[in-house]
Amino acid sequence: MIWKRYFSLEGKHAFIGASKSSWLNYDDEHLVMSYMNYVAKERGTRLHALASELIDLKQTLPRNKKTLNHYVNDAIGFGMKTEQTLRYSDNCFGTADAIAFNEETRYLRIHDLKTGTIPAHIEQLRIYAALFCLDYNIPPTKLSGIELRIYQNDDVIIDKPEAEDILVIMDKIKHFDLIVEKLKEEQ
């Protein structure tokens, strides 16, 4: 047998494929909904890549309230770094869409671009703040301030958590990381 090779498909997964067999139980409506969610996720991935590239190139967009424009322009204006991984351990890490830390003023800023319609939760950004503090060994009590922003649906949600809010998350990360490490050792 000479097997066919599909080079353009290698490393990819089909939407209606064998490795995700749950679609066998879908009706037409569920399939359509699932596919639309898939398309939205792919669009979001592309928009994040575009935003990151525009910010890295310092290419501003027309000033208006459109989510992408506002996010990109603010990130450029605040001199933010895009797609920055923050790590406590191999069990707990994440990638901030845009982040800036002013060492002189000790002010931490984290922004997140949300392209979906489901309302985002600020907890994700608070976790990034906790990971930043753990990763760079900077206690939140030594920061002059923290500003977290979610850009979604042509709106901006701004959160300025207190140091205590971040300390609670840091403690939980450390505690849960120990539990996971013990579980790994037992395996």
Side-chain angles (χ1 to χ4, degrees), residues 49-60 72 76 80 82:
L50 173 62
S52 181
E53 186 73 9
L54 289 167
I55 294 164
D56 292 346
L57 292 171
K58 297 181 179 19
Q59 179 60 56
T60 58
V72 167
I76 292 169
M80 301 179 85
T82 62

Side-chain angles (χ1 to χ4, degrees), residues 40-123:
K41 181 180 173 194
E42 291 298 310
R43 182 178 187 276
T45 298
R46 292 178 67 190
L47 282 170
H48 271 83
L50 173 62
S52 181
E53 186 73 9
L54 289 167
I55 294 164
D56 292 346
L57 292 171
K58 297 181 179 19
Q59 179 60 56
T60 58
L61 297 173
R63 294 210 177 276
N64 58 38
K65 292 291 184 186
K66 291 290 183 189
T67 300
L68 181 68
N69 295 33
H70 199 174
Y71 168 77
V72 167
N73 292 339
D74 280 359
I76 292 169
F78 288 117
M80 301 179 85
K81 174 153 177 38
T82 62
E83 302 302 319
Q84 178 60 48
T85 300
L86 302 167
R87 177 189 178 277
Y88 174 67
S89 72
D90 288 349
N91 302 316
C92 187
F93 58 90
T95 303
D97 288 350
I99 188 169
F101 177 65
N102 184 316
E103 292 183 57
E104 190 175 303
T105 63
R106 305 198 57 82
Y107 196 83
L108 176 63
R109 173 179 297 284
I110 302 172
H111 294 183
D112 199 58
L113 174 64
K114 296 295 185 191
T115 59
T117 56
I118 297 170
H121 298 283
I122 204 69
E123 288 83 3

